[in-house]
Amino acid sequence: RLTDKLIPGYWGHAAVWSGSEAELKELGIWDHPVVRPYQEQIRSGHQVVEALRSGVEMNTVQHFLNIDSIGILRKSAANRSERANMVIQALRQVGKPYDFNFDVESKGRVYCSKLVYLSYSGVDWPTKKSLGRTTFTPDDVAIKAVKGGSLQLVTFYHEGSRVTGNQLDTMAKLMGVNNGSQAAR
């Protein structure tokens, strides 16, 4: 998206999959007090939580996929309890205003990669200091898969086509980082 060209790095956006009704029932959280207010939205296909300039909201996959490239990541070896907690933490952010200051430590405001930061516990996220604030970008999310961290790349589409071969190498090259494999050197 053109609006994402202002964000440093290859990736311009990040979001969290909340899941379908069946998935949330399987996790045992469909009737959780945080999930309950969003049941109708989830039933109507609003299963992606994302922070847009209008604030944190739930959107359909079709709305979210107005993009050029997508990397689908999941927390490696996340158990049922961790997955449930991730969804609950993401849904707790819905309705909060957008953080135009891009400060991962600020309270009450959220931007896209901060949504991931707040939702995924137990990940040692790579933050940086910039202009007196702590920042965290969509590339910082992806680096946890590219460099063999706690996220796993499930699939990768670049410019509308599924990347074949070593997807991590391709992603690393596009991000301008070395993931340690022969192909990325």
Side-chain angles (χ1 to χ4, degrees):
R1 296 180 183 169
L2 183 59
T3 57
D4 293 336
K5 297 300 179 198
L6 302 173
I7 297 171
Y10 175 74
W11 295 105
H13 190 53
V16 175
W17 171 255
S18 66
S20 66
E21 178 177 355
E23 290 168 322
L24 297 176
K25 284 181 175 178
E26 187 272 324
L27 287 176
I29 59 171
W30 179 248
D31 289 316
H32 188 281
V34 172
V35 176
R36 199 173 303 123
Y38 303 106
Q39 288 177 342
E40 286 309 310
Q41 281 185 276
I42 292 166
R43 282 184 176 132
S44 71
H46 292 77
Q47 299 163 349
V48 176
V49 181
E50 59 182 330
L52 303 172
R53 282 149 185 85
S54 54
V56 183
E57 56 191 58
M58 296 181 70
N59 286 307
T60 64
V61 171
Q62 293 79 10
H63 180 271
F64 173 74
L65 288 177
N66 178 20
I67 53 178
D68 300 317
S69 299
I70 185 170
I72 299 174
L73 308 175
R74 91 172 38 124
K75 188 174 178 185
S76 303
N79 63 37
R80 183 176 178 219
S81 175
E82 288 175 309
R83 291 187 347 254
N85 186 58
M86 181 274 305
V87 171
I88 290 166
Q89 294 309 318
L91 291 176
R92 283 189 168 132
Q93 309 313 312
V94 174
K96 290 185 178 178
Y98 194 78
D99 183 359
F100 289 98
N101 199 30
F102 301 101
D103 184 353
V104 79
E105 294 177 335
S106 68
K107 305 288 184 217
R109 294 183 172 273
V110 179
Y111 61 98
C112 70
S113 48
K114 182 177 177 177
L115 173 66
V116 174
Y117 179 94
L118 295 170
S119 300
Y120 283 74
S121 62
V123 175
D124 184 23
W125 294 115
T127 59
K128 299 172 196 77
K129 283 289 192 182
S130 176
L131 301 172
R133 65 186 185 269
T134 304
T135 63
F136 178 71
T137 69
D139 272 24
D140 293 327
V141 174
I143 205 76
K144 292 308 250 182
V146 169
K147 295 234 177 190
S150 52
L151 298 183
Q152 167 193 1
L153 179 64
V154 175
T155 193
F156 178 38
Y157 284 76
H158 175 63
E159 295 181 352
S161 298
R162 187 171 191 273
V163 174
T164 57
N166 191 322
Q167 294 180 333
L168 279 176
D169 283 350
T170 303
M171 187 184 296
K173 285 178 186 175
L174 289 167
M175 292 173 62
V177 299
N178 184 342
N179 70 344
S181 73
Q182 271 308 86
R185 290 184 185 158

